[in-house]
Every structure is written in structure tokens, then in C-alpha cells.
Amino acid sequence: MTHPTTTPENQPTAGSNYHYMGLPGARPMLTQASAETYANLVTTLNADAGKGAIMCIHGGVGLGKTFAVNSHLDDLAPHTTLRIKVGSAKIQALRAALYKKLDLPGEPPLNSTRCETMLKEALSETPRVLVVDEAQWLDTRAFEFIRELWDDEDTRLAVVLVGAETCYQKIKNRPALDSRILVWQRYKPLTSAEVLTVIPEYHPLWADVRTDELLWIDDVACHGNFRQWAKITYLLWEEHRGNDVKWTGSTDPLQPPTPHGTPAPLPPYSRDLVRAVLSRLDPTQRHTD
């Protein structure tokens, strides 16, 4: 499982549209945390002569953890990555999800020993990358099952655990698994400097917005949270794409509709419009100067 080293030339872009709500026009942004994730994935996938290691990425919700892992693995291991989003803490659900991802025949055997034997056999045939998202919900037996899969001398498995802040302590409370994790990475909110660098490039709606306005939005609503920025961007874009009316720099008057099929030019920035969007995100808050 040999993969490229980290250089500016081979930093990946997202092939699939992992952007929030499939936001048109959004660009995959290589933040400092995302670049670190790329380097950590390269280390993890290439460890142990290509067998692969275990890494854990944790942090608050909406900071871009899953997006970074998915988009980078599209570049590093596009055909060997198995993605599982945990919907249940129980090992039975994890086994069944992995059985399905490996495209094994029929239904997972009810006999746990038989099922796990089939999974290990499949994972020994070719190198794989197992991504477990929302890993903080796993119970002790499910965590141990992942460790056992990786520990098996015949499997060739790199494991990427992605979870909330609580994922860190849950794994630390399980010394057998903790001792096998090669790389830890904690995601934090974007700094003000990153907001001013990343957001104008993230979507054309923000390209010409003044820095003080971007910092105002981040201060009152986003706090460095990329998903919050994506929500606001999506709602502004939704307003813009409407065929019945097109908004301009203020809410009145309204720009007449453009001819059918002709995209309207991007509207100038308006703090009033941002306030209207913020009220949709949280009607209990008033965002005044």
C-alpha cells in the first residue's frame, strides 16, 4: 500500500461533491488542518511496509474532519477505501456494515465467529483502508473488533477513526487500542487569519466581500466552524438562484427575473441579507450593529 509523499504539487482536490448540501460553486479548500490530515494519511497508509497503521482524527462537529478524510482518500486510495458511518454502537451493526462494504455474498452469517472469519479473509486479499466515521458512538466490543481486524497477521488494513471530541477519551480509556494508534490529530476552528484566507476562495459569493464583514459574520455566527459558513453560503446561494426574484445589494427594490435559463450575475454583498439568513439559522437571535 505505497502512496505518494506530501508535496504541494500532489495535494488532492475533491473528486466527489462532499460539500455541504452539494453546494454548487463551492471549492475544496486545503486548510492547515486538511494539509496535516493529508500528511497523516500518507504516513498511516504507508506504515509497516505498506500494511497500514491506525490513526484517529477527532474534534468538534462541523470543522471539516470527514470532508478532509474523504476527499484526500479519493486521491490516495480511491479503489480500496471502505467508508462506514456508525449508526449503532453495537458490534453486530459494524460487522454487517463491513460485510456489505466488502460486497460479500448473501446476508452476514448470524454466527459471529463465521462472520468475522469471512471478513478477515476478505481483508487479507488486498490492501484496504477502513474509515469509521462518528467513531465516538462505538462501544467497547466494537472498538476491540476493529483492533482485532487490524491485529490479524493476514489482513492488510489501514484504519482511520473519525469522531467528535469525546472520541479521544473513549479510545484513551481502552489501552489496547490506544497503544496501537500511530497518529492522532485534533481539529480546531478556523482562526481569523484562516477565515480571511479560506472563505473568499471557498465560494464566489465571498470573493469580493470586505475583510471586516467576513470577520463580523464569523464573530456573530460561525466562530471558525466551516459547516456554519457552508450553511450561510448555501442559503445565500439559494436566494440568488431563485427564478422568481433576484436580490441585489438591499432587500428592496428586487431585481427583475433574468430570462429563463440565463444565470443571473452574483449579487453584491449586503449585511441585511446576511442578517436575514442568520435569522433562518436561529430565529431566537437578533443580529444588529
Side-chain angles (χ1 to χ4, degrees):
M1 192 184 293
T2 302
H3 299 276
T5 55
T6 307
T7 64
E9 290 78 14
N10 63 21
Q11 290 293 1
T13 57
S16 302
N17 191 352
Y18 297 120
H19 292 288
Y20 182 80
M21 301 293 288
L23 177 63
R27 303 183 183 98
M29 300 307 302
L30 192 69
T31 63
Q32 181 176 345
S34 178
E36 183 180 343
T37 296
Y38 187 81
N40 288 336
L41 286 169
V42 170
T43 298
T44 300
L45 271 58
N46 289 335
D48 195 9
K51 173 184 170 74
I54 307 178
M55 66 177 284
C56 179
I57 296 177
H58 63 102
V61 298
L63 299 182
K65 304 182 298 295
T66 302
F67 178 90
V69 169
N70 282 333
S71 58
H72 290 323
L73 285 176
D74 278 352
D75 179 70
L76 293 169
H79 306 300
T80 57
T81 298
L82 307 168
R83 295 178 172 89
I84 295 177
K85 188 170 185 177
V86 174
S88 169
K90 301 300 181 183
I91 186 175
Q92 295 88 340
L94 182 60
R95 279 198 301 253
L98 185 54
Y99 192 94
K100 182 177 180 181
K101 287 291 183 180
L102 287 166
D103 199 24
L104 295 176
E107 296 297 319
L110 296 179
N111 182 285
S112 60
T113 301
R114 174 59 182 156
C115 185
E116 292 180 13
T117 298
M118 293 180 67
L119 293 175
K120 290 177 181 178
E121 289 175 351
L123 291 171
S124 67
E125 294 172 357
T126 186
R128 298 281 190 171
V129 183
L130 175 61
V131 179
V132 182
D133 198 8
E134 304 292 352
Q136 73 274 6
W137 298 116
L138 295 175
D139 64 12
T140 297
R141 185 65 191 95
F143 274 123
E144 289 304 303
F145 173 60
I146 292 172
R147 179 184 63 78
E148 290 165 7
L149 288 178
W150 182 81
D151 263 348
D152 189 277
E153 62 181 13
D154 294 323
T155 60
R156 293 180 286 170
L157 185 66
V159 179
V160 183
L161 301 173
V162 185
E165 285 284 22
T166 55
C167 190
Y168 174 83
Q169 195 57 53
K170 290 195 74 170
I171 293 176
K172 286 295 181 181
N173 290 337
R174 293 158 177 81
L177 176 59
D178 177 33
S179 68
R180 287 163 171 79
I181 293 182
L182 177 64
V183 178
W184 287 93
Q185 182 182 352
R186 182 188 182 194
Y187 265 61
K188 298 179 181 179
L190 297 173
T191 65
S192 296
E194 285 182 296
V195 167
L196 296 181
T197 301
V198 170
I199 298 304
E201 296 294 327
Y202 165 61
H203 197 277
L205 282 171
W206 305 113
D208 299 318
V209 176
R210 297 199 321 260
T211 58
D212 60 322
E213 291 295 312
L214 293 174
L215 292 176
W216 171 74
I217 296 170
D218 193 60
D219 183 56
V220 300
C222 297
H223 313 295
N225 187 290
F226 217 127
R227 187 177 298 163
Q228 194 74 352
W229 272 105
K231 289 180 184 179
I232 294 171
T233 308
Y234 182 86
L235 291 174
L236 287 172
W237 172 82
E238 183 187 54
E239 291 278 353
H240 167 61
R241 71 168 181 165
N243 290 324
D244 52 344
V245 292
K246 296 290 183 286
W247 41 265
T248 56
S250 65
T251 54
D252 187 36
L254 292 173
Q255 178 180 334
T258 59
H260 181 70
T262 303
L266 289 175
Y269 172 82
S270 164
R271 185 177 282 202
D272 288 341
L273 290 168
V274 173
R275 286 195 186 99
V277 164
L278 295 182
S279 70
R280 294 178 69 185
L281 291 175
D282 187 352
T284 67
Q285 299 294 316
R286 294 185 63 191
H287 301 284
T288 58
D289 289 328

